[in-house]
Amino acid sequence: MTQNPLDTLSSTSFDDFPYVRPDMEHLSRVFEQHLTSFGQSASAVAQAEALAAIVAVREEFSSMYNLCYIRHTANTADPFYEAENQYFDEQSPSFEALNNKLYKALLSSKFRDTLAKKFGEHLFVLAEVSLKTFNPSILEDLQQENALSTEYTKIKARARIEFDGKSYNLSSLLPVELSNDRETRKRATEAKWQFYADNAPEVETIFDGMVKLRHSMAQKLGFKSFTDVGYARMRRSDYCPEMVAKFRKQILEHIVPIASSLYERQRVRLGLASLKYYDEDYKFASGNPKPIGTPEEIVANAAKMYQELSPDTDVFFKRMQDARLMDLVNRDGKATGGYCTYIPKFEAPYIFSNFNGTSGDIDVLTHEAGHAFQVWSSKSFPLEEYHWPTADAAEIHSMSMEFFTWPWMHLFFGDQTEKYRFMHLAGAIQFLPYGVAVDEFQHLVYDQPDMTPAERDQVWRELEKKYLPHRDYDGVAHLEAGRFWHKQSHIFNSPFYYIDYTLAQICAFQFWVKDRQDHKSAWADYLRLCQAGGSSSFLNLVKLANLKSPFEDGCVQSVVGEIQAYLNSVDDSRF
């Protein structure tokens, strides 16, 4: 299927994208009518036409959902979009039920072979996986799950942390947590965790409700535990929990020692007797590298970077600017974190983040731009199933873009560029043990759904000791009790979405190595991966990009060798 990522998109600005609440009764009726036509079609051509009509209905719903999601997260206090978000929390399961019917119809189509030649066999693989995640008996449960997820997001968005006479939210406090003054770092970090401690009873009640609800849904769907449902929700079709467990073992054996040595180098750099939890993100005695310029200047430099990187990224980023498809700056009432989503009706990726004056502003911009560039590159696929790959593959695009943009980091960091690159690469290594700890935590939690909140906390604390043996909480009761995981939104809102980052990081490391050896070849592989969208499974996409599977024995060890050599070659005592 040919695609042209240089196609121009609509000139309409995001501010002008009209939002209209979908009328679910009308939408369902139209969807069902087209579905009947699909089933009664006398030819593959007629079925494809009926499918195209269904795609248009789905595109409208998806576009309005994403418009609502963006505008709600941009201002969680906006009463209009709060109400609309609640509407989607309630109606999304009904929409999922319609898709469930479509997948059943696809799998039973008498023209399946012809449709597979037209749309690709992976559509039917995705249909089979998706059917595992829904039946009408769990519709109300899904609505309740959505409501709990929204409650958790609102707790974090409404954070007001008083510190030294000023009020902060979770994003704006981060620069204070990175203060050059150790006592300030300590007190600011303690203030943040006091917020989590104050909200711990509510957070743990929400999560306890989620676990029990998800376990109940899994049983209604015919599974022993929610783990199988979680994997199916993530649309994983070519690997299983046992393969993931072996991958975690590779991280434990080959990455944890390297990460621990990097923390020791950091302790020495900082001249500390011991590295405490509030020191971990403060990498250099001279202070962490900070981006140069205002948010507007950062975006202007990003435009220059993407203009020089490739013609494809140039056209893409100009569209993102011209159509105001980025909301980057932190403010009160805005949801925490960063994300990229897609509004299919307007063929518009959208980047959301919370700039706060730290190097993370550049990380999140290049990371989310990787997601946005991918979905923009694969927008010509007629089915939304192919706009995005599964999350494991999708994170390859984002994490690799962070590395492909290295040659332009001087635009953002000036004479701190080498310091930034060292921190970025070392940080990517140090992330991996945490990433697999989050994954193993979820496996253990959903395999034992009757655990008490305190027992879950203890599970987390034991995993920290296993994967993060350097961590020293300096006696802080909330963290010593094993509640660090309360801050990790994915655990609440996107169960089992975390190993994806670690798998993708191993792939991104391979792109880092290849790019240093032959940029033209590496970029060609990356572009081909982006243009493939979600038209194939994770392992097939990895193969398409000429990468080695992270599950392959010895892969992790082989990939990190050159990275370790690079880090060891840097005299970090200069920073």
Side-chain angles (χ1 to χ4, degrees):
M1 190 174 296
T2 60
Q3 301 168 60
N4 180 10
L6 295 179
D7 287 345
T8 56
L9 298 176
S10 165
S11 60
T12 307
S13 167
F14 173 79
D15 296 337
D16 300 321
F17 290 175
Y19 171 78
V20 179
R21 175 190 281 193
D23 180 336
M24 280 305 296
E25 184 177 345
H26 174 73
L27 182 149
S28 298
R29 186 166 58 251
V30 173
F31 195 112
E32 295 274 14
Q33 289 171 352
H34 293 316
L35 199 56
T36 299
S37 297
F38 180 89
Q40 295 176 349
S41 295
S43 68
V45 172
Q47 276 204 337
E49 291 175 351
L51 182 58
I54 292 172
V55 165
V57 176
R58 296 201 306 170
E59 183 178 275
E60 178 68 21
F61 182 89
S62 177
S63 296
M64 294 305 106
Y65 166 80
N66 280 294
L67 273 175
C68 172
Y69 182 77
I70 293 166
R71 290 171 178 166
H72 173 62
T73 52
N75 179 10
T76 58
D78 183 318
F80 176 79
Y81 281 107
E82 181 176 16
E84 295 306 290
N85 185 71
Q86 182 177 349
Y87 176 78
F88 278 106
D89 281 351
E90 296 168 353
Q91 298 301 329
S92 292
S94 297
F95 185 69
E96 185 177 343
L98 293 172
N99 278 313
N100 188 261
K101 291 182 179 180
L102 170 61
Y103 290 143
K104 287 181 178 178
L106 279 170
L107 292 171
S108 62
S109 169
K110 54 190 173 185
F111 305 111
R112 173 172 170 166
D113 291 345
T114 304
L115 292 175
K117 289 178 182 178
K118 179 177 178 62
F119 297 110
E121 183 61 36
H122 193 55
L123 173 64
F124 296 90
V125 173
L126 293 174
E128 289 177 348
V129 171
S130 296
L131 284 177
K132 297 178 181 179
T133 68
F134 181 85
N135 69 42
S137 68
I138 67 167
L139 194 146
E140 290 185 5
D141 295 331
L142 289 169
Q143 292 172 335
Q144 187 177 347
E145 183 185 19
N146 288 341
L148 289 170
S149 179
T150 295
E151 283 304 306
Y152 172 77
T153 299
K154 286 167 67 174
I155 287 173
K156 294 178 71 173
R158 73 181 184 224
R160 294 294 179 273
I161 301 168
E162 301 301 322
F163 184 78
D164 284 356
K166 295 182 180 179
S167 181
Y168 297 88
N169 58 33
L170 289 170
S171 297
S172 62
L173 184 65
L174 182 57
V176 189
E177 294 181 78
L178 297 175
S179 170
N180 292 344
D181 179 69
R182 194 184 192 202
E183 184 61 25
T184 301
R185 287 201 306 275
K186 177 182 179 182
R187 292 189 301 108
T189 307
E190 287 174 344
K192 176 184 74 177
W193 283 108
Q194 187 58 51
F195 162 78
Y196 281 106
D198 292 342
N199 286 276
E202 186 175 359
V203 166
E204 292 200 324
T205 297
I206 287 172
F207 189 66
D208 191 61
M210 285 178 163
V211 171
K212 288 178 168 54
L213 191 63
R214 288 166 178 161
H215 181 69
S216 173
M217 284 192 283
Q219 292 191 313
K220 291 177 183 177
L221 291 168
F223 296 103
K224 180 181 178 182
S225 78
F226 179 74
T227 302
D228 293 315
V229 180
Y231 271 57
R233 282 189 182 182
M234 297 304 296
R235 300 184 298 159
R236 295 170 184 163
S237 60
D238 52 6
Y239 62 92
C240 60
E242 290 73 23
M243 294 169 69
V244 170
K246 289 181 180 179
F247 173 74
R248 293 196 305 261
K249 186 178 179 182
Q250 286 194 67
I251 299 298
L252 180 64
E253 293 177 352
H254 301 296
I255 301 296
V256 170
I258 299 174
S260 295
S261 69
L262 288 169
Y263 283 116
E264 174 60 16
R265 285 175 71 174
Q266 180 181 347
R267 182 195 67 77
V268 173
R269 281 198 308 271
L270 296 178
L272 301 175
S274 61
L275 191 75
K276 304 297 184 182
Y277 76 106
Y278 51 80
D279 297 315
E280 285 187 22
D281 292 330
Y282 184 75
K283 301 299 184 180
F284 308 99
S286 59
N288 287 6
K290 296 180 181 179
I292 301 166
T294 64
E296 292 76 17
E297 290 168 333
I298 288 173
V299 172
N301 281 327
K304 175 178 172 61
M305 173 177 72
Y306 283 121
Q307 180 183 42
E308 295 177 2
L309 176 57
S310 79
D312 307 272
T313 53
D314 181 28
V315 174
F316 150 74
F317 201 75
K318 284 178 178 174
R319 167 60 179 163
M320 298 296 289
Q321 286 181 288
D322 293 344
R324 298 172 60 84
L325 295 172
M326 295 180 283
D327 179 1
L328 305 176
V329 181
N330 173 57
R331 58 182 176 272
D332 287 342
K334 187 176 180 181
T336 58
Y339 64 78
C340 173
T341 191
Y342 182 63
I343 312 167
K345 186 175 181 178
F346 302 101
E347 296 186 321
Y350 194 91
I351 294 174
F352 177 100
S353 72
N354 279 277
F355 278 10
N356 55 20
T358 68
S359 62
D361 296 351
I362 309 305
D363 295 336
V364 74
L365 178 59
T366 56
H367 181 99
E368 301 304 341
H371 285 309
F373 179 67
Q374 175 271 301
V375 74
W376 184 76
S377 298
S378 58
K379 63 186 172 59
S380 297
F381 281 110
L383 299 169
E384 66 177 37
E385 282 80 3
Y386 289 177
H387 288 158
W388 298 102
T390 47
D392 35 32
E395 297 302 342
I396 300 175
H397 312 120
S398 54
M399 291 177 158
S400 299
M401 181 64 84
E402 294 180 37
F403 291 130
F404 276 115
T405 54
W406 261 32
W408 291 269
M409 286 301 104
H410 64 280
L411 296 174
F412 307 103
F413 294 103
D415 60 7
Q416 300 184 89
T417 300
E418 188 179 1
K419 180 196 282 191
Y420 167 77
R421 287 176 180 153
F422 178 87
M423 184 178 77
H424 182 217
L425 193 58
I429 288 285
Q430 290 169 316
F431 164 75
L432 289 168
Y434 174 74
V436 298
V438 170
D439 179 70
E440 188 166 336
F441 175 72
Q442 294 184 88
H443 278 84
L444 293 171
V445 163
Y446 289 108
D447 284 348
Q448 303 174 65
D450 292 328
M451 278 194 289
T452 66
E455 288 171 334
R456 293 188 194 108
D457 293 340
Q458 186 58 37
V459 165
W460 174 257
R461 192 68 185 101
E462 291 303 316
L463 289 171
E464 284 183 319
K465 293 174 182 178
K466 175 180 178 180
Y467 290 108
L468 308 166
H470 70 280
R471 182 156 286 177
D472 182 346
Y473 284 131
D474 201 27
V476 175
H478 179 72
L479 296 172
E480 294 286 6
R483 292 174 177 161
F484 183 95
W485 65 272
H486 288 194
K487 71 183 283 288
Q488 194 61 59
S489 298
H490 300 71
I491 294 174
F492 295 81
N493 299 343
S494 305
F496 289 101
Y497 185 169
Y498 218 69
I499 198 67
D500 311 78
Y501 290 111
T502 63
L503 296 170
Q505 188 69 77
I506 297 300
C507 294
F509 283 157
Q510 295 178 64
F511 269 128
W512 178 81
V513 172
K514 293 168 67 171
D515 192 45
R516 288 162 61 82
Q517 297 171 345
D518 184 346
H519 171 72
K520 184 177 180 180
S521 174
W523 182 255
D525 287 341
Y526 178 78
L527 186 59
R528 184 169 60 256
L529 179 67
C530 289
Q531 291 174 340
S535 60
S536 196
S537 67
F538 170 67
L539 292 179
N540 284 333
L541 288 171
V542 166
K543 185 177 181 180
L544 178 71
N546 292 318
L547 301 172
K548 185 183 292 186
S549 165
F551 296 115
E552 185 177 317
D553 287 342
C555 174
V556 171
Q557 187 176 19
S558 68
V559 166
V560 299
E562 189 162 341
I563 292 169
Q564 193 172 13
Y566 173 91
L567 293 172
N568 287 340
S569 73
V570 176
D571 179 9
D572 52 310
S573 65
R574 297 181 293 109
F575 300 141

